[in-house]
Amino acid sequence: MLFEARNRTILPAVAMVVWATACARGASAGQQGPAKVSAPTPVQARTPQPVGARAGQPTSSTWERIDLPPEVRWHEHTHALAIGDTVWFLHGQDMHVRNGEGKWRALPKVLPAPIGPFAASCVDRAGRLLVVPGGNAPGFTFDPRDGALTSIPALARPTQRGAMVCVDDRNVPYLAEGGREPAWGRVVDGAWEDLPKVATVTPIGAYSAGLFAMPEDVLVAFGDHHVGKFFVAKNEWPVKSDLFVQLGFRPALDRGGMCAQDPLTRAVYMTLGKGSRSFGVMTPQKQFFHLRPRLPIQLSDPDRSLWITNAPSGDRLNLLSREHAAILSIPIAGLTPIGVFDRIADTDSRFEVTNSRTVGSVGDLARERDSTCSLVFVPPYVYIQRKLFVRQVDVESLRHSPPDAGYRYGDQFVDEGSALCFDGDNAIYVYNGITSRFWRLQPFTHQQQPDQRAATPVPLADALVTELAPIPEWAGTAPRDGRGRNTATAACGTGIYALFEPTTRRLWRYDPPVNRWTAETILPAGVPFNRIDGAQLTWDGERLWLCSKNVLIDYQPGSVDGFGERTTLPFTFSQDGGTTAFDRARGLIYVAIGGGSRDLGVIRLRDRKARLLTDFFPDVVSVPGHRMFVYDRNGATWLHIFRGHDSAEYWRTKVSGDGELKVD
């Protein structure tokens, strides 16, 4: 098991009882009733279930879908809070209650203040619903046993997006006000007490939001995928670099990224959101695991409607999606962590997650807005362009340079127009997408052949970084936001070819021996190249191929005719994570559609035929950058992709001898 029962903390109030339903047993769905509800039903204390199945064991469970009854629908922002096997849905000033038998009860206008996007809520140690409505309205508790409401004036705080509330083991409420601000505090003896500013890497409410109590008097908090910790006894945050754990994805706040804590195990389950099927778990033992089977829906709901039910029959992870008008539920014991010895990306998936380890793995996330990322493959290494660095990662062992010890170039983070390419010999060419500056990295000496590189790489500190002639398209211009730019590059025998600016549509060639850029030609009319759709260049050894939006066209460097025939493809790929990879042995170009899609396009160059494989990837792909490659090793061919989508997942699947990836 991921951790043994002796390491789990059982909350006193919940360990002794599983609270009864909020309505009388047998009440009909949608039946209204007073705020006063049934008394709790005592049950025997029991040993909590594990977080999930042991890595390596098959997943035995599937997600159960429970469609909402027609009379149980609402449109307000929603929080879900569970005690035992009963869940309370707070929305507006109303509540809906669903008990362990699936019976519903509506409690209209029971809340003293509406639940909105700036609200925070949790279950306290006494088994009451603790709510902070936000907007300087007083906080309150609701006791499900008798419907009693208790006001907490000290929690009348100016909360913002991503506000979070939790209680420690002494039932002291802590509130982080969210909104990218470090303000937070607690209520002691009925009075608000400001605490040292939240010292997470990213403020709570920036991209994600989390605040939870862990064993040993520790609170954990996060505003992205870096989870910080607060020592209650010492009343302090350690330095930002001293993390509790680093998550394998960044939950997308208000876009399907939700979190819920199991009161028995203290494990925090979370969904990625942004239209993805991904979810995972953060354990009290400072680990994070991606879990499968993945969600059966692509989740984008703006609510906080993830919860865990604890019942004698077993613990379950549950999710309400108003968008899909359904509850999804699965036994926690049936979840499988995607671990070192069980890398399958999803149940019955053809893909592996190659960096599933939580320690020593490729920990970077390709993230929207603050971490555009591209890579090139130079066997046996992947070189990842991210922020100010190009980092080296061994594809097989996953050994990598530390985040701040890669090849540093320039002084600005890369943005959407960034690109890099390998010349097939000794040099990687880099552009950061913001300025006109252009660099060459030389991680290998000319004396090293590809089969020698694994044994004798040049140390990172000794790699040559040379700034080259600026890109004429923007020479002399001031640095600017790279968002909306689109860059395609490829190396061939006569130099580096690149498309930079959609408004000019120029195809540029860089000549390494003389360090010079030349505008070679302009894209023909009818060939799309813009700031939204995908565009990538591929060199097949004879011709240059441009795949842009839904068009394929070839270009013969040095020829009189230049561009050749234009072919319309049966798919359109996006600049937002859309990327290509060349399978030289089969003469195929694979196209990840991107833009939050799971689809893959396949193009056969010899006759320009193409097809679309729908739902090919285990989950959706997005975030600008080129992050897919083909690897031939030991007689097998593998397709690798760094999926992006605010996730750290690297996927791979074997394509050699695979009829599915043929065009016909």
Side-chain angles (χ1 to χ4, degrees):
M1 302 303 180
L2 290 183
F3 53 88
E4 300 299 328
R6 64 176 179 272
N7 292 328
R8 300 175 191 147
T9 299
I10 301 177
L11 308 187
V14 181
M16 297 304 298
V17 295
V18 174
W19 300 121
T21 72
C23 57
R25 298 284 186 181
S28 60
Q31 180 181 351
Q32 295 186 2
K36 188 173 182 177
V37 295
S38 307
T41 302
V43 299
Q44 294 295 321
R46 62 189 175 84
T47 300
Q49 292 177 263
V51 168
R54 185 189 302 273
Q57 293 181 340
T59 302
S60 58
S61 300
T62 58
W63 285 91
E64 177 187 1
R65 179 180 175 125
I66 305 165
D67 291 324
L68 297 181
E71 64 272 21
V72 181
R73 305 289 173 89
W74 59 86
H75 304 288
E76 300 94 350
H77 187 82
T78 302
H79 285 219
L81 297 173
I83 302 175
D85 62 358
T86 299
V87 58
W88 281 259
F89 299 104
L90 288 63
H91 54 94
Q93 288 187 260
D94 304 335
M95 286 200 296
H96 275 81
V97 188
R98 184 177 187 271
N99 68 14
E101 296 177 352
K103 305 299 183 180
W104 289 85
R105 163 90 38 120
L107 302 176
K109 306 301 179 185
V110 71
L111 301 178
I115 301 298
F118 293 172
S121 64
C122 71
V123 177
D124 74 8
R125 298 290 185 256
R128 298 170 299 189
L129 312 186
L130 171 60
V131 181
V132 181
N136 289 305
F140 61 89
T141 60
F142 174 85
D143 194 328
R145 291 159 289 199
D146 57 10
L149 285 166
T150 303
S151 180
I152 308 177
L155 287 177
R157 305 295 301 176
T159 58
Q160 301 180 63
R161 177 178 179 267
M164 293 292 295
V165 66
C166 75
V167 294
D168 66 15
D169 290 340
R170 290 166 292 278
N171 210 29
V172 174
Y174 289 76
L175 174 68
E177 297 179 4
R180 293 177 175 263
E181 297 296 329
W184 83 310
R186 62 190 170 197
V187 177
V188 179
D189 296 329
W192 177 260
E193 177 187 335
D194 287 314
L195 290 172
K197 292 182 179 180
V198 177
T200 51
V201 173
T202 303
I204 297 174
Y207 304 106
S208 306
L211 179 66
F212 300 97
M214 287 293 178
E216 300 178 356
D217 234 11
V218 172
L219 303 186
V220 297
F222 54 90
D224 63 354
H225 62 293
H226 300 96
V227 182
K229 55 192 176 185
F230 177 77
F231 297 113
V232 175
K234 297 179 180 179
N235 211 35
E236 69 178 19
W237 298 86
V239 295
K240 290 184 179 181
S241 59
D242 185 10
L243 298 177
F244 181 80
V245 74
Q246 181 167 299
L247 306 176
F249 58 67
R250 183 171 72 180
L253 179 62
D254 296 339
R255 292 186 293 162
M258 309 177 190
C259 302
Q261 188 171 36
D262 186 334
L264 296 182
T265 66
R266 302 289 184 100
V268 177
Y269 293 84
M270 56 192 72
T271 58
L272 194 163
K274 286 180 53 182
S276 82
R277 303 170 58 227
S278 299
F279 74 110
V281 61
M282 174 180 66
T283 76
Q285 284 68 36
K286 304 179 182 180
Q287 295 176 304
F288 175 86
F289 294 93
H290 296 275
L291 295 173
R292 62 177 173 89
R294 293 178 190 252
L295 297 172
I297 62 172
Q298 294 182 209
L299 184 64
S300 300
D301 291 69
D303 300 324
R304 298 187 184 182
S305 53
L306 185 72
W307 73 96
I308 292 91
T309 49
N310 303 124
S313 59
D315 304 332
R316 300 183 71 92
L317 179 65
N318 310 272
L319 168 70
L320 168 73
S321 171
R322 290 189 293 117
E323 179 182 351
H324 294 269
I327 289 174
L328 303 173
S329 181
I330 192 169
I332 286 178
L335 300 175
T336 297
I338 302 172
V340 179
F341 304 110
D342 182 18
R343 297 180 175 183
I344 306 304
D346 198 7
T347 305
D348 300 324
S349 174
R350 59 177 294 144
F351 279 87
E352 298 177 3
V353 177
T354 65
N355 65 322
S356 55
R357 285 175 286 187
T358 56
V359 179
S361 66
V362 183
D364 288 339
L365 278 64
R367 310 186 301 262
E368 65 175 349
R369 292 179 287 184
D370 69 332
S371 191
T372 294
C373 175
S374 292
L375 60 80
V376 291
F377 180 50
V378 185
Y381 299 113
V382 166
Y383 289 86
I384 303 172
Q385 177 194 26
R386 183 174 175 269
K387 296 187 176 179
L388 299 172
F389 308 99
V390 172
R391 297 178 60 196
Q392 181 190 78
V393 180
D394 187 294
V395 172
E396 296 298 329
S397 70
L398 296 180
R399 291 191 303 270
H400 60 87
S401 59
D404 58 353
Y407 310 128
R408 179 161 183 161
Y409 61 93
D411 53 5
Q412 293 173 296
F413 283 12
V414 299
D415 214 324
E416 290 182 7
S418 60
L420 74 168
C421 69
F422 177 54
D423 70 357
D425 180 24
N426 182 50
I428 297 171
Y429 292 86
V430 182
Y431 167 59
N432 68 5
I434 298 174
T435 68
S436 62
R437 300 174 71 183
F438 187 62
W439 293 268
R440 179 178 62 228
L441 312 181
Q442 294 175 280
F444 299 106
T445 67
H446 282 284
Q447 288 72 35
Q448 289 178 306
Q449 298 302 314
D451 60 352
Q452 299 173 314
R453 289 174 178 164
T456 56
V458 173
L460 291 179
D462 296 335
L464 300 177
V465 180
T466 306
E467 185 163 359
L468 305 172
I471 297 168
E473 200 86 66
W474 301 305
T477 62
R480 64 175 186 175
D481 189 340
R483 292 176 191 166
R485 288 188 175 178
N486 201 352
T487 302
T489 59
C492 66
T494 58
I496 308 298
Y497 280 82
L499 291 164
F500 293 111
E501 179 54 62
T503 58
T504 65
R505 300 172 58 82
R506 294 191 186 101
L507 179 65
W508 292 87
R509 178 174 60 85
Y510 174 76
D511 189 350
V514 296
N515 189 26
R516 183 174 61 212
W517 287 95
T518 302
E520 187 150 318
T521 187
I522 295 177
L523 292 181
V527 175
F529 179 48
N530 54 54
R531 303 180 188 277
I532 299 174
D533 297 302
Q536 196 152 349
L537 292 165
T538 298
W539 173 249
D540 69 357
E542 296 181 358
R543 287 179 290 180
L544 199 64
W545 296 86
L546 171 64
C547 184
S548 184
K549 188 179 180 180
N550 63 341
V551 167
L552 177 72
I553 192 169
D554 66 291
Y555 178 75
Q556 184 67 60
S559 70
V560 176
D561 298 330
F563 286 99
E565 177 184 351
R566 186 179 68 209
T567 302
T568 300
L569 302 171
F571 51 79
T572 296
F573 82 112
S574 172
Q575 185 258 5
D576 181 20
T579 185
T580 68
F582 181 45
D583 186 341
R584 187 176 301 276
R586 292 157 191 79
L588 302 176
I589 294 179
Y590 304 119
V591 184
I593 301 304
S597 166
R598 296 172 57 195
D599 300 345
L600 179 81
V602 184
I603 306 169
R604 188 168 60 202
L605 295 182
R606 61 179 170 82
D607 57 7
R608 303 169 186 264
K609 289 186 176 181
R611 65 179 291 209
L612 181 67
L613 303 176
T614 58
D615 294 336
F616 179 77
F617 294 113
D619 211 335
V620 297
V621 174
S622 74
V623 177
H626 305 304
R627 296 184 297 272
M628 189 164 66
F629 62 93
V630 171
Y631 185 18
D632 292 300
R633 179 170 174 79
N634 297 331
T637 302
W638 296 82
L639 178 66
H640 291 245
I641 184 168
F642 182 12
R643 68 172 289 203
H645 205 78
D646 295 11
S647 169
E649 285 184 296
Y650 277 71
W651 299 327
R652 74 173 184 179
T653 186
K654 189 180 293 185
V655 299
S656 51
D658 191 335
E660 183 182 2
L661 293 184
K662 294 180 181 177
V663 174
D664 295 325

